[in-house]
Amino acid sequence: MVGNRSWFGGLLNRSTFRRQVIGFGSRNFDFTPLQEERLHKLKDRLGIPFDETRPDHQEALKALWQASFPEREQPGLVSEQWKDMGWQGANPSTDFRGCGFISLENLLFFARTYPGSFKRLLHKRDGERAAWEYPFAVAGLNISYMLVQLLELNSEKPKSHHAINFIRVLSEDEESFDVLFCIAFEMMDAQWLARRASYMQFNEIMESTKSQLERELSLDDVHRIRDLPAYNLLFK
C-alpha cells in the first residue's frame, strides 16, 4: 500500500450507491422493454451495499484474493495481507463504505474474464512506474463510482447522448457495465503511464479517463460494448 487514506476521498465521497441511485424515468426517451429491464437490473445491483456479515459477500472477497494471488494462502477477512492488493487497511470492508457490492463484483469480473489484463495492472508489470503508485483495489472502487456518475445512473433518467447510448449498448450485452469497468481500468492505467503520474495526480487521471470514455460512448457507430475503440486494450 502506498500513499495515505486522504487522497482516496478526493473523488469518491462517503455516500453509498443506495443513496445515490434513484428511480428511473423515460419521459424524454422511449426505452424498449429489454432496455428498461436491463437498466433496472443494473440499478438494483447499484443499490446493494457491501455487507461484511453476509456469507456471499465474504466469499466474493475471498474469491478475489484467490484470483489475484492463487499461489498464496487465503488470509482472514481482516489481515495486513489485504494491503498487497491495494486496500487501504487490514479490513477491506471499510473501503466499501463509499461504494457498494457492485464494485467488488466489477473487480471479480475483471479477474475472471480478463485475467491477463487484471494481473498486469494488479502487479504493475508494464511501463515506468512511479515511486508512489495508485493502490489497485481502491482505484477499482473509484472507477466503479466514476462510471455511475458518467452514465448518469444516479439520475431519474439519462440526458446525455453518451449515457443514452450506453443503455442501447446494455440491451445488446447485459455485462456491458462490468466490461466497461475493465476498459476504464486499462484506460486509466494507460493514461497514468503516459503522463508518468504519481498518486497526487490520481483524480486528474480519473477525470481524463472519464472524458475519454464519454467521447467513445458518444460515437455513432458504437452499438455494442466491443465497438468501443478502447476495448482493444483488454486481453485474456
Side-chain angles (χ1 to χ4, degrees), residues 65 72 75-76 78-85 87 89-91:
W65 176 273
R72 294 173 58 177
V78 179
S79 169
E80 292 294 318
Q81 294 184 65
W82 288 104
K83 295 181 182 180
D84 296 342
M85 194 188 297
W87 301 101
N91 186 356

Side-chain angles (χ1 to χ4, degrees), residues 18-174:
R18 180 177 295 278
R19 292 174 184 168
Q20 294 275 337
V21 178
I22 61 178
F24 179 79
S26 57
R27 288 175 294 179
N28 296 334
F29 182 78
D30 292 329
F31 296 99
T32 67
L34 179 58
Q35 289 170 345
E36 288 188 356
E37 177 187 348
R38 292 278 171 87
L39 188 57
H40 282 300
K41 282 185 177 180
L42 178 56
K43 282 180 173 284
D44 286 344
R45 291 176 64 194
L46 296 177
I48 301 174
F50 180 80
D51 184 350
E52 62 182 314
T53 67
R54 285 183 54 167
D56 56 333
H57 289 198
Q58 294 176 6
E59 290 305 312
L61 192 58
K62 292 177 182 178
L64 181 62
W65 176 273
Q66 180 62 30
S68 301
F69 306 110
E71 73 286 352
R72 294 173 58 177
E73 184 178 352
Q74 177 76 53
L77 294 175
V78 179
S79 169
E80 292 294 318
Q81 294 184 65
W82 288 104
K83 295 181 182 180
D84 296 342
M85 194 188 297
W87 301 101
Q88 295 187 94
N91 186 356
S93 66
T94 61
D95 287 334
F96 288 103
R97 290 172 183 168
C99 296
F101 183 58
I102 194 171
S103 53
L104 177 54
E105 290 182 314
N106 290 155
L107 283 166
L108 193 53
F109 177 90
F110 193 11
R112 289 171 169 171
T113 309
Y114 303 102
S117 287
F118 178 87
K119 291 185 177 180
R120 184 184 70 81
L121 299 185
L122 170 66
H123 300 296
K124 309 288 180 26
R125 287 174 177 166
D126 292 349
E128 183 179 344
R129 294 290 174 174
W132 294 89
E133 276 286 316
Y134 64 85
F136 177 81
V138 172
L141 304 191
N142 275 276
I143 290 171
S144 295
Y145 179 84
M146 178 268 287
L147 290 178
V148 172
Q149 307 306 306
L150 172 69
L151 302 174
E152 302 175 5
L153 297 174
N154 56 352
S155 301
E156 182 180 3
K157 55 186 179 298
K159 297 179 180 179
S160 303
H161 175 64
H162 67 272
I164 293 174
N165 199 38
F166 174 75
I167 298 173
R168 299 189 180 104
V169 169
L170 187 64
S171 68
E172 296 296 326
D173 184 350
E174 194 168 11

